[in-house]
Amino acid sequence: MKFYDAHNHLQDDRFAGGQSELLAACEKVGIARMVVNGTRESDWPVVRALARENKIVLPSFGCHPWYLAKRTPDWLKNLEKFLDEIPSAVGEIGLDRWKPDLPYAGQEDAFLAQLRIAAERNLSVSIHCLQAWGRMLELLQKNLRPARGFVLHSFGGPVAMIPAFAQLGAYFSFPGYFLHERKLRQREAFRHVPADRLLIETDAPDQLLPTEKILQPLAGAGGQPLNHPANLPAVYAGLAEFFGEKTESLALRVEENFQRVFKLH
Ligand SMILES: [Zn+2]
């Protein structure tokens, strides 16, 4: 069985330079590819280096709403430079009205500027959205989108909006965090995702699985628990169990979807 991680942050500082061991563990459990999402200009070179050294890594470059304040004046030119240099995707970008004290002003402009670049180049784009689903749908309806589609990572939006997003080309990515008992609403929503639009992710080092499902425990330098990207097979197994299907059949579906939306030229 081959596994595909639609969204993680392997470049994250919390992994403290342990990327080679993490990747070795991922390959050992059958992870074929992972989309490693940059979140700010300062981590794009790290993502690029990881991709150059490891075929498993599909690089993605974007400015995440949490880090917009750190942008340089040349950030968009810089983004295009990275996209020109290496076959890649755009992300993580998005809208966030959930994070306390994070200004919303300016988020839409930054999101749309990056969405436009993804649409012009027909690159897949990974979208973060927290408490802004109505506005996200409106913006996607009114603006150019990549013809190949786009990914709503850790989709936690309303079930009722799934068909409208799907019509625009959305893929819906399921994180291991939704395997927690209390995340039943989010899990249930995935029963309504079209079969050809389902993806699976770890979002490592974030979005830890329930303790009993963790395959690869990992702690950061300060002892804080981190999500190891090699926990991906447990996310597949947990979702397959929830759907009442075999992990093998789920994995085949997700493989086709991943290849379709992330295919690099
Ligand atoms: Zn992320």
Side-chain angles (χ1 to χ4, degrees):
M1 225 184 320
K2 283 186 187 168
F3 301 100
Y4 295 82
D5 192 346
H7 188 103
N8 76 28
H9 301 281
L10 187 68
Q11 82 283 9
D12 197 287
D13 283 345
R14 284 170 287 171
F15 286 134
Q19 277 82 1
S20 300
E21 291 95 85
L22 296 174
L23 282 167
C26 287
E27 295 195 39
K28 209 166 162 189
V29 299
I31 297 174
R33 292 218 88 181
M34 58 173 67
V35 183
V36 175
N37 286 258
T39 57
R40 61 204 107 167
E41 284 172 276
S42 61
D43 71 7
W44 298 345
V46 190
V47 172
R48 184 182 54 195
L50 284 168
R52 283 185 173 151
E53 288 154 23
N54 304 282
K55 269 177 64 184
I56 185 175
V57 171
L58 194 158
S60 190
F61 303 105
C63 207
H64 186 289
W66 292 5
Y67 306 108
L68 292 179
K70 296 180 198 261
R71 280 173 299 169
T72 68
D74 288 331
W75 73 287
L76 281 175
K77 251 192 245 158
N78 197 16
L79 175 60
E80 298 214 77
K81 186 182 81 121
F82 276 84
L83 297 174
D84 284 339
E85 276 176 359
I86 187 166
S88 45
V90 174
E92 175 173 358
I93 69 174
L95 300 179
D96 194 318
R97 279 177 169 146
W98 164 80
K99 193 176 169 64
D101 303 323
L102 183 73
Y104 186 74
Q107 286 191 33
E108 292 188 2
D109 287 347
F111 170 72
L112 290 174
Q114 297 178 94
L115 178 67
R116 189 177 317 119
I117 289 172
E120 283 166 3
R121 293 165 176 250
N122 191 22
L123 298 175
S124 59
V125 53
S126 290
I127 297 175
H128 162 112
C129 185
L130 287 176
Q131 293 185 4
W133 290 105
R135 191 63 186 142
M136 178 59 75
L137 181 60
E138 251 172 52
L139 291 178
L140 287 167
Q141 282 167 334
K142 286 189 198 149
N143 289 275
L144 282 180
R145 304 169 301 276
R148 67 163 72 210
F150 55 91
V151 178
L152 298 174
H153 115 80
S154 291
F155 176 76
V159 172
M161 289 172 83
I162 290 175
F165 277 118
Q167 203 196 4
L168 298 176
Y171 286 72
F172 303 81
S173 179
F174 181 90
Y177 189 67
F178 289 175
L179 294 173
H180 285 273
E181 216 32 64
R182 64 182 185 279
K183 292 287 166 186
L184 183 62
R185 179 190 69 79
Q186 287 85 345
R187 270 198 311 285
E188 285 287 353
F190 275 81
R191 290 195 199 277
H192 302 266
V193 166
D196 62 350
R197 299 300 181 82
L198 175 69
L199 294 169
I200 297 180
E201 66 177 61
T202 61
D203 202 17
D206 294 311
Q207 304 222 47
L208 267 172
L209 289 72
T211 313
E212 71 279 6
K213 294 198 190 299
I214 293 172
L215 299 172
Q216 311 256 1
L218 185 68
Q224 79 280 27
L226 299 178
N227 189 11
H228 192 306
N231 284 317
L232 183 64
V235 188
Y236 273 69
L239 184 60
E241 187 189 359
F242 179 68
F243 283 164
E245 76 173 292
K246 287 214 162 71
T247 308
E248 286 80 357
S249 70
L250 177 67
L252 284 176
R253 211 155 79 236
V254 170
E255 177 171 41
E256 277 179 28
N257 296 344
F258 184 98
Q259 309 251 16
R260 193 183 318 114
V261 71
F262 285 115
K263 188 175 166 219
L264 298 179
H265 307 293

